[in-house]
Amino acid sequence: MLQHQSVTRAGHALDLSQPAMSAALAKMRAQLGDPLFVRTGHGMRPTPRALQLAEPVKRILEMVRLDVLQQPAFDPATASRTFTVITPDIGETVFVPKILAYAQTHAPRIAIRSMAISSEGAGEALELGLADLAIGYFPDLAKPGFYQQRLFKNSFVCMVRADHPRIRGSLTSDEFLRESHALVRPAGRTHLFEQFLHSKNIKLDVRAELSHCPA
DNA sequence: TGGCACCTCGTCAGACTTTC
DNA sequence: GAAAGTCTGACGAGGTGCCA
């Protein structure tokens, strides 16, 4: 209003109609107990009270503009921080090296910290700010508040010893279930495939349980 | 969780005020 | 008296709190 000296023009500058602006002015008049702006032949002139308020209001608006509305843009080239990534064990060997290689060129001051936690705990870690990103299969995060993007499709394969009779060809599900198995369970976590078998009430003949995937 | 009442804030239309 | 601008009442949309 001080800048435009007109209810209509001030409203237009704020993308409001004149009545809306007039109503806002009426509310301010009631709250401050002063007309603030009075009609004259040369527009809406400020009262002494309005002029007195102009400087502190200007400072408040400037503070809001700088500290609230104007957020610093993220610049990978100069950013210096550690990103925490939730990823399964395989992610540490597949994803993290690629991320580091990319960061070395485009974000040289960025560091990556890998975190291996359960699918159920990933959502909470992200919500609490303990982690920045989760790479892997996290069906529990398919809900509002989380952004998801498919990066790739994955499939499972069977690993057998070099002289195993099934070294060639494919397996039927019955043949697969008749075999004995080595179960890789890092840090005691339940593998996605195990969860699938459990949901189907299928039990494997597990002869060995390992915490690391054999080289 | 859905329905309801209430409040806030917006627009529209028309009355009103001021100035020339 | 005309023109420009402001004010006001009616009404609608959306948000919120309460209650069954």
Side-chain angles (χ1 to χ4, degrees), chain A residues 27-118:
Chain A
K27 188 180 287 185
M28 285 183 63
R29 283 168 169 164
Q31 287 181 342
L32 298 174
D34 188 273
L36 296 175
F37 294 89
V38 292
R39 288 181 68 171
T40 72
H42 305 285
M44 299 290 280
R45 293 296 191 195
T47 65
R49 176 71 171 140
L51 291 172
Q52 182 190 12
L53 290 171
E55 192 54 36
V57 167
K58 186 179 177 183
R59 283 201 303 271
I60 292 169
L61 292 176
E62 187 68 8
M63 185 177 71
V64 170
R65 188 179 67 81
L66 292 175
D67 296 347
V68 178
L69 300 179
Q70 197 174 75
Q71 296 188 0
F74 175 72
D75 181 11
T78 58
S80 175
R81 59 161 292 190
T82 299
F83 283 94
T84 301
V85 181
I86 299 172
T87 182
D89 55 326
I90 192 171
E92 289 189 357
T93 56
V94 176
F95 307 132
V96 173
K98 291 181 179 177
I99 294 172
L100 287 174
Y102 186 87
Q104 197 166 15
T105 305
H106 298 89
R109 297 170 68 184
I110 290 294
I112 299 296
R113 187 170 76 92
S114 175
M115 177 191 279
I117 58 177
S118 67

Side-chain angles (χ1 to χ4, degrees), chain A residues 10-33:
Chain A
H12 184 72
L14 295 172
D15 202 21
L16 292 174
S17 66
Q18 179 277 321
M21 189 67 199
S22 179
L25 178 59
K27 188 180 287 185
M28 285 183 63
R29 283 168 169 164
Q31 287 181 342
L32 298 174

